[in-house]
Amino acid sequence: MFRYGKRLGKLFAVGGYLPRILLASVIGFVTGLVAVAFHFSLGWATYVVRLPWESAGALPKWSFAFVPMIGGLVVGLVIYKFTRTPEAAGQGTDNMIRSFHREGGVVRARVAPVKFFTSIVTLASGGSAGYEGPISQIGSGIGSGISRLFRLPKAMRGQFMLAGTAAGLGAIFKAPLAGALTSVEVLYREDFESNAFATSIVSSVVAFTVYIALVGTEPAIAGVPAIPFTNGIELLACAVLGVLCFPFSFLYVRCYDLSETRFARWKIPDWLKPAVGGAFVGAIILVFPQVAGGGFGFIGEIMRGLVPHGLFGILFLLAIAVAKIVATAFTVGSGGSGGVFGPSLFIGGVLGAMFAGVCELLFPGAVRMPEMFILVGMAAFFAGAAKAPIAGVVMVCEMTGSYSLLPGLMIAAVMHIAFSRPWTIYKSQVLNKFASPAHRCDMDVDVLQVTSVGEVMEPREIKRLDAGSPLSDALKFIDLNCIYPVYDRGEYAGLLDMQAVKSTFLSSPELAQHLLVSDCTVRAPMLAETMDLHAALKVFTRIEIDELCVKDRQGNLVGTLSHSAIFRAYETLVSSNQ
């Protein structure tokens, strides 16, 4: 009897399996309610914003082009002036990924309400963005907040942050399995977070149940007919569509990265940038109103029989796909609050419809139901752009309520990933668990102790900075992506704090005229080249810096070592010993 009692006690211990499941249920319930509030708030806001153009005595259609700019201005002021919450800008899913890998699963309490409001403003005013980014970051904030309330350790905070993400996605897309899969798969390019799968499943199912009880059970994309998959010709066509997606996903990622980089470097106030991005989006909406907002209504219209059969229809869909890519880059890349998951589904669906038109034009009657390619394109495009093949396929199946196309969806997703491995829409993704700072403690100590820092470091000459020099002089020649040691009267004082420099350089360049290099210096030790990698990893864990300088026995700087280099070395060592 004592033995059984002891086992039962372990189940209910802090950090035990049952308490984690119960806590995941709480996170799912709260996130589900927030998702319901987000759904109705967005619907109401969209109705109010667009009422002047749809009621009697409506304003001219062209005047709506100014609305995204006004929405961007409101978003910028709220994020950068009133709440000072820069984490709420841009795409929420990437911010969630970064929080998991590099910030110990911590999301500031104010992020969730700010993201809630600014995302509604962005989407209701016509910004080209998705729903998943906001709700995934809001859900992760709820999971992080509840974890801190119960004073859970760092290793468990990330797990419950993912549970919140899964709950938000599972609810808003009415896709509980896909929500759980996305939360654990999107963190890595070639791996998934298996430890968080159980809690993500529970939270996603609970949130989904709450959401459909108050919103309804109709699939997110309704009206999809049953499309049975029957022959090899259709399978081959799906594979071709997967290959067709890769140049567009490259364009999507490239446009977004370019927009984000250019807006970050633009020397205007941060709060004004979303308004500028909104102005560009407004100009695009004048020509292609279909790209405004999430765009799933347009996908539904295509699905209900608007598959093109002529050259003009094919070119029109091609233009809409490119317009959506550019509009999303301007909306989210400028600092507007939204996601890039939803637009990727839109782009993939439009490309699928375009491909269906090409098939009908060149091979009439070869495919029984050409509209099947709309669903295949949605799954394939997101899978390749986000490196989440399983989540992308299941998401489309659950959003449409149709599982009959699974073989075609899977082959298209795999083909797209095969051609798009070098890029991803989520910058904070890492290759696998070896490359994640969140899994530093999971590594084999013995393997790390047999390799020295000198064997792994990158030998190179390093530019030194004088602590007493004006920061404005240093900014003329430094690279913001490198590290620079700072010396004070010949003695090593630390590293130039690039986060502080970027903040000063990008948001207040005039402030740099009044600062010294020492004002932006962070204390950071040097690593000895004779130190083993385990000792070096403990240093990285303690100071939370991604790259450090390395010195030789005489104290001379000889190179740099990054935590990612340690992970790569560890993976190589483990592979060679297998």
Side-chain angles (χ1 to χ4, degrees):
M1 181 65 70
F2 174 76
R3 181 177 60 186
Y4 292 114
K6 187 175 182 181
R7 289 180 179 177
L8 188 62
K10 287 183 177 180
L11 285 175
F12 288 95
V14 175
Y17 192 77
L18 285 183
R20 279 186 288 171
I21 294 300
L22 291 173
L23 191 56
S25 302
V26 173
I27 292 172
F29 181 78
V30 175
T31 306
L33 292 177
V34 173
V36 171
F38 186 87
H39 170 82
F40 287 115
S41 298
L42 178 58
W44 175 82
T46 303
Y47 170 77
V48 170
V49 170
R50 305 200 178 200
L51 188 61
W53 287 268
E54 297 176 355
S55 59
L59 296 174
K61 295 292 185 182
W62 60 264
S63 61
F64 186 79
F66 294 97
V67 176
M69 180 177 64
I70 298 171
L73 181 61
V74 173
V75 168
L77 289 172
V78 170
I79 290 176
Y80 294 104
K81 283 290 187 181
F82 301 150
T83 66
R84 299 188 182 277
T85 314
E87 310 98 297
Q91 52 163 312
T93 303
D94 195 66
N95 292 334
M96 179 277 294
I97 296 172
R98 184 174 61 252
S99 296
F100 178 87
H101 289 310
R102 304 188 181 280
E103 297 169 12
V106 175
V107 179
R108 288 201 297 169
R110 71 175 68 174
V111 171
V114 173
K115 193 71 176 181
F116 186 99
F117 175 77
T118 55
S119 299
I120 288 174
V121 172
T122 298
L123 292 165
S125 62
S128 177
Y131 311 131
E132 92 298 335
I135 203 65
S136 65
Q137 192 173 11
I138 292 168
S140 68
I142 293 171
S144 175
I146 292 178
S147 298
R148 283 180 293 174
L149 180 66
F150 285 91
R151 300 182 181 276
L152 296 179
K154 179 179 178 181
M156 295 182 66
R157 284 201 305 267
Q159 184 179 131
F160 288 110
M161 187 189 76
L162 294 181
T165 299
L169 294 174
I172 205 72
F173 287 129
K174 298 181 183 178
L177 178 56
L181 287 171
T182 302
S183 69
V184 300
E185 191 177 22
V186 79
L187 298 171
Y188 308 103
R189 294 190 184 190
E190 298 180 357
D191 208 340
F192 63 95
E193 191 66 22
S194 56
N195 295 338
F197 190 61
T199 48
S200 294
I201 281 284
V202 171
S203 63
S204 182
V205 169
V206 172
F208 166 76
T209 304
V210 172
Y211 189 80
I212 64 171
L214 299 173
V215 174
T217 59
E218 186 180 43
I221 300 178
V224 177
I227 309 175
F229 185 86
T230 58
N231 59 61
I233 294 177
E234 293 177 355
L235 186 65
L236 177 62
C238 290
V240 173
L241 176 55
V243 176
L244 176 68
C245 284
F246 97 87
F248 290 93
S249 71
F250 173 79
L251 180 65
Y252 187 39
V253 173
R254 179 60 178 163
C255 283
Y256 175 77
D257 289 345
L258 185 63
S259 175
E260 189 177 51
T261 302
R262 292 293 177 88
F263 273 104
R265 291 178 178 175
W266 201 5
K267 296 181 179 180
I268 63 172
D270 285 341
W271 58 266
L272 192 57
K273 293 175 182 178
V276 177
F280 285 112
V281 173
I284 296 173
I285 290 175
L286 279 176
V287 184
F288 300 105
Q290 296 86 353
V291 306
F296 287 127
F298 181 66
I299 295 296
E301 292 177 5
I302 298 177
M303 189 66 69
R304 288 190 291 271
L306 298 181
V307 177
H309 295 279
L311 182 60
F312 175 78
I314 294 170
L315 295 176
F316 174 68
L317 289 175
L318 174 62
I320 287 181
V322 175
K324 187 68 174 179
I325 289 172
V326 177
T328 303
F330 278 124
T331 299
V332 187
S334 66
S337 184
V340 294
F341 179 168
S344 71
L345 294 176
F346 177 96
I347 296 163
V350 172
L351 291 176
M354 184 186 74
F355 182 74
V358 173
C359 289
E360 284 296 285
L361 191 63
L362 299 180
F363 311 103
V367 179
R368 295 167 298 106
M369 301 180 70
E371 58 267 29
M372 65 178 281
F373 293 121
I374 299 174
L375 305 182
V376 175
M378 292 171 68
F381 193 89
F382 170 71
K387 301 300 174 286
I390 302 175
V393 168
V394 176
M395 178 68 76
V396 170
C397 289
E398 290 191 296
M399 286 180 66
T400 59
S402 174
Y403 289 85
S404 55
L405 278 177
L406 266 177
L409 296 176
M410 290 188 292
I411 196 66
V414 169
M415 292 302 295
H416 186 193
I417 289 177
F419 284 87
S420 64
R421 290 170 63 87
W423 62 82
T424 174
I425 196 64
Y426 298 124
K427 286 183 175 181
S428 298
Q429 270 184 345
V430 296
L431 184 64
N432 50 38
K433 290 182 180 178
F434 289 132
S436 172
H439 287 281
R440 286 170 174 165
C441 297
D442 298 342
M443 304 173 84
D444 189 335
V445 173
D446 293 335
V447 173
L448 293 174
Q449 288 177 336
V450 300
T451 307
S452 69
V453 168
E455 296 176 67
V456 179
M457 73 172 188
E458 179 185 353
R460 60 189 179 94
E461 294 185 5
I462 306 174
K463 176 68 177 180
R464 300 185 181 188
L465 300 179
D466 180 47
S469 299
L471 181 61
S472 57
D473 291 345
L475 289 175
K476 295 177 181 178
F477 63 85
I478 67 173
D479 183 346
L480 295 178
N481 295 315
C482 296
I483 65 169
Y484 294 91
V486 178
Y487 281 75
D488 186 7
R489 299 176 185 176
E491 296 292 329
Y492 175 73
L495 295 175
L496 188 64
D497 186 350
M498 281 304 174
Q499 293 300 323
V501 171
K502 288 178 182 178
S503 176
T504 302
F505 179 64
L506 297 175
S507 61
S508 304
E510 66 281 355
L511 183 60
Q513 306 294 328
H514 308 286
L515 295 177
L516 300 177
V517 169
S518 59
D519 296 320
C520 292
T521 299
V522 59
R523 295 180 61 86
M526 283 194 200
L527 301 175
E529 64 176 351
T530 55
M531 181 184 294
D532 64 68
L533 291 185
H534 178 245
L537 192 58
K538 291 172 66 176
V539 175
F540 278 111
T541 304
R542 186 177 69 252
I543 63 175
E544 297 292 339
I545 290 180
D546 293 337
E547 191 172 11
L548 292 172
C549 295
V550 179
K551 62 181 178 180
D552 60 15
R553 295 178 184 272
Q554 289 74 41
N556 300 316
L557 289 175
V558 291
T560 62
L561 179 71
S562 65
H563 69 78
S564 59
I566 297 178
F567 298 137
R568 289 194 298 270
Y570 178 81
E571 186 174 11
T572 301
L573 289 168
V574 171
S575 300
S576 63
N577 291 331
Q578 290 179 345

